[in-house]
């Protein structure tokens, strides 16, 4: 239906033809339809489905965390405020809101989970992964494989219960050997920071039930039909570059699932040098970030990020020596 200016002026659509005067008058009469209606006060389901070629992908939101800007050593508050203004966002004061996303890929042959959120390890604004997986109609029993971009607490914690029971009873766990070896290196971890100690204990506990159905990958290349691993060193500990992306290819379309390459959607495309302190080798993380941003912008590859604003799907363009992010539009048909 198109609505002409004349129809609006006549008020015919508002009042059934009685005219604008009547519609104005009706505003002064209390209407029972305007009685207090309780608001939901919570968001709807954090799940979004789209397709890449023959693959059907479901993005699942775990929630968000407010990260301190002090996690970015190169942070410039004035520049950040300007970027926020330019993008019609509320300027951050000293916190930056970061979502945590996971993905389920149905290849038509297999159902593959990529990362799994935080469970109850990171506070009440997170931990919605399991609920959203259920709301999306995906049963844990149907999952054939779990791919982890890395074993940090916000990526691995949804695969096993606190009691040590695997949530995905039929799934093979696939993770990079360097990441696995690092978090299981007790001699190194015993002398490391509390951040690494906590992550190591959690990574070991969460992955333990999968020890008998574990595949460790040690090079780039195909890990499952249509899914290729690509090393993204710099985020997880520098001497063990286990942080891994996955390129999904189907029917001439491709998307790069890039894990933690970018944490701050509003900032790091303009400033790829603003690495997060969790990037243990921040220089290497910046090099990897620029290399991947150059590739996806030149080849127009779609990207899917663990911490890009939900659902985390978009494209990247070159922009005067830096980059610009274009979030994808709603996909009406799969
Ligand atoms: Zn992360």
């Amino acid at each position: 239906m198109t609505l002409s200016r004349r129809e609006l002026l006549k008020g015919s659509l508002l009042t059934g033809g009685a005219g604008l005067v009547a519609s104005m008058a009706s505003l002064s009469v209390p209407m029972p339809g305007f009685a207090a209606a309780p608001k939901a006060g919570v968001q709807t389901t954090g799940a979004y489905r789209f397709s890449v070629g023959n693959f059907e992908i479901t993005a699942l939101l775990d929630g968000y965390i407010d990260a301190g800007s002090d996690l970015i050593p190169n942070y410039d508050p004035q520049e950040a405020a300007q970027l926020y203004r330019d993008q019609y966002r509320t300027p951050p004061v000293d916190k930056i809101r970061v979502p945590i996303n996971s993905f389920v890929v149905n290849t038509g042959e297999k159902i593959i989970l990529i990362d799994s959120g935080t469970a109850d390890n990171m506070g009440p604004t997170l931990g919605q992964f399991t609920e959203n997986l259920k709301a999306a109609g995906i049963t844990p029993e149907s999952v054939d494989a779990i791919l982890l971009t890395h074993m940090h607490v916000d990526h691995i914690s949804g695969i096993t219960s606190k009691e040590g029971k695997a949530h995905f009873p039929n799934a093979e766990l696939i993770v990079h050997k360097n990441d696995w070896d690092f978090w299981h290196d007790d001699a190194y971890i015993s002398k490391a920071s509390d951040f690494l100690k906590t992550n190591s204990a959690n990574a070991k506990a969460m992955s333990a039930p999968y020890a008998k159905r574990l595949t460790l990958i040690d090079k780039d290349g195909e890990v499952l039909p249509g899914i290729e691993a690509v090393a993204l060193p710099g985020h997880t500990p520098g001497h063990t570059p286990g942080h891994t992306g996955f390129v999904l290819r189907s029917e001439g379309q491709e998307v790069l699932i890039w894990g933690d390459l970018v944490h701050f959607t509003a900032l790091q495309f303009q400033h790829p040098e603003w690495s997060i302190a969790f990037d243990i080798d921040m220089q290497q993380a910046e090099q990897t970030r620029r290399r991947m941003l150059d590739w996806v912008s030149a080849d127009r590859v779609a990207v899917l990020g663990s911490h890009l604003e939900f659902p985390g799907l978009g494209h990247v363009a070159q922009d005067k020596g830096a980059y610009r992010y274009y979030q994808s539009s709603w996909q009406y048909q799969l």
Side-chain angles (χ1 to χ4, degrees), residues 110-115 140-148 159 166-175 180 207 209-217 222-225:
K110 288 193 181 300
I111 295 181
I112 297 145
L113 172 66
I114 299 177
D115 293 344
E141 293 75 21
S142 69
V143 174
D144 298 294
I146 302 163
L147 298 182
L148 295 177
I159 68 171
H167 282 317
F168 299 94
N170 303 315
E172 169 193 10
L173 179 64
I174 303 174
V175 61
W180 178 275
S207 59
Y210 297 87
K212 289 207 171 80
R213 38 197 166 107
L214 175 71
T215 300
L216 297 178
I217 49 179
E222 190 168 81
V223 283
L224 290 165

Side-chain angles (χ1 to χ4, degrees), residues 50-52 57 246-248 252-258 292 295-297 299-305 308 312-316 325-326 328 331:
F50 60 98
S51 59
V52 172
I57 303 174
F246 299 101
V247 184
L248 312 185
Q253 293 185 31
E254 59 186 347
V255 62
L256 167 66
I257 296 181
W258 73 19
M292 300 316 282
W295 170 50
V296 296
S297 56
D299 286 9
R300 302 178 71 89
V301 177
V303 300
L304 195 52
L308 291 176
L313 177 67
H315 282 85
V316 181
Y325 177 63
Y326 293 92
S328 292
Q331 195 176 101

Side-chain angles (χ1 to χ4, degrees), residues 150 154-155 235 260 263 306-307:
H150 59 303
D154 55 322
H155 296 259
H235 178 59
D260 283 19
H263 288 86
S306 302
H307 303 299

Side-chain angles (χ1 to χ4, degrees), residues 159-200:
I159 68 171
T160 297
S161 74
K162 273 268 175 292
E163 295 72 39
K165 192 166 175 290
H167 282 317
F168 299 94
N170 303 315
E172 169 193 10
L173 179 64
I174 303 174
V175 61
H176 199 286
K177 184 176 185 304
N178 290 345
D179 216 48
W180 178 275
D181 288 350
F182 179 79
W183 297 115
H184 287 81
D185 183 350
D186 292 339
Y188 179 86
I189 296 290
S190 67
K191 292 183 227 112
S193 67
D194 285 349
F195 172 76
L196 293 184
K197 280 187 184 127
T198 311
N199 269 281
S200 168

Side-chain angles (χ1 to χ4, degrees), residues 47-50 58-61 101-103 303-306 308-314 325 327-330:
Y48 173 69
R49 194 160 280 152
F50 60 98
T58 307
L60 300 165
L61 181 67
N101 311 321
S102 304
F103 310 102
V303 300
L304 195 52
S306 302
L308 291 176
E309 282 170 13
F310 185 76
L313 177 67
Y325 177 63
Q327 182 146 331
S328 292
S329 55
W330 180 270

